[in-house]
Amino acid sequence: MNKDEYIKKLNKLLKKLPKEEREDIISDYEEHFLIGLEKGRTEEEISGALGNPKNIAKQIKAEYMLRKAENKQSAGSVFEAALATAGLGIFNLIFVAVPAMLLIAILLTLFVLGGAMVFGGIFITLGTVLKPILPPYNLNVTAYDGLLGTLIGILYGIGLTIFGLALLAGLVYVTKWFYGLAIRYLKWNLRIIEGKKGS
């Protein structure tokens, strides 16, 4: 593959990257060709030494997504970074994508559980308080009637709401911790891949 073919292919594979970022990368690879030609190598030898543009584009995209996830912390950013890194090979698909999806599924389930507890607690509290006003609707969730049933219902509802809020607050902290851990793991994974390619 000559220089023009190589640069054109790499540019096309990187089209989803921002223009400025893509131009910097293409400029670097054009410089590799320039230096190689000055040393008397052919364009085909240089392109062979640089590696397959498809693999290079995958690695560049994974690095870009990882930087993006570091700068803009969101579940979507880290998921995109995990998917981009997983696309680098079968090893990564197993050891990056599967754990990432499993972890996201567990965290989402726990967030839904926490939200359900908060709303359930509010519903129970309001249902117990409004029971005398809305007698046709049986909103009593306790086995007791009268003042004791009302008191138990209110305390149960408030307790459930507080426990749900505590769970959500804890999950926010745990999610931030896992986010940092995920970024470090993905960086470590990329370093291993770069090390393998460099050796």
Side-chain angles (χ1 to χ4, degrees), residues 168-189:
L168 289 175
L171 281 171
V172 168
Y173 178 78
V174 169
T175 302
K176 283 183 180 177
W177 183 78
F178 271 119
Y179 195 93
L181 186 69
I183 295 291
R184 287 196 297 276
Y185 177 72
L186 292 173
K187 278 183 169 180
W188 173 77
N189 192 279

Side-chain angles (χ1 to χ4, degrees), residues 7 10-11 14 22-31:
I7 294 295
L10 186 60
N11 196 30
L14 296 174
R22 192 174 66 240
E23 285 175 353
D24 281 348
I25 294 164
I26 294 300
S27 174
D28 284 345
Y29 277 85
E30 285 175 336
E31 196 173 325

Side-chain angles (χ1 to χ4, degrees), residues 26-68:
I26 294 300
S27 174
D28 284 345
Y29 277 85
E30 285 175 336
E31 196 173 325
H32 281 298
F33 274 98
L34 192 64
I35 292 169
L37 289 171
E38 285 173 358
K39 290 181 178 176
R41 300 169 73 186
T42 66
E43 291 183 349
E44 286 73 17
E45 286 172 339
I46 298 165
S47 67
L50 288 174
N52 188 328
K54 194 174 176 182
N55 294 336
I56 289 169
K58 281 183 183 179
Q59 189 169 341
I60 289 170
K61 282 193 258 185
E63 289 168 355
Y64 171 75
M65 292 297 179
L66 199 51
R67 281 197 312 275
K68 187 178 164 188

Side-chain angles (χ1 to χ4, degrees), residues 124-170:
I124 290 169
T125 305
L126 288 177
T128 305
V129 170
L130 296 176
K131 183 181 162 192
I133 302 169
L134 303 169
Y137 303 102
N138 185 10
L139 300 174
N140 188 5
V141 294
T142 67
Y144 303 98
D145 284 327
L147 185 61
L148 182 63
T150 303
L151 188 62
I152 291 173
I154 290 171
L155 290 176
Y156 182 73
I158 290 172
L160 191 62
T161 303
I162 290 171
F163 193 71
L165 287 172
L167 178 63
L168 289 175

Side-chain angles (χ1 to χ4, degrees), residues 75 78 99-115 167-168 170-179 182:
V78 78
M101 283 189 229
L102 190 65
L103 184 62
I104 287 171
I106 290 169
L107 287 174
L108 280 177
T109 303
L110 290 174
F111 270 109
V112 169
L113 178 66
L167 178 63
L168 289 175
L171 281 171
V172 168
Y173 178 78
V174 169
T175 302
K176 283 183 180 177
W177 183 78
F178 271 119
Y179 195 93

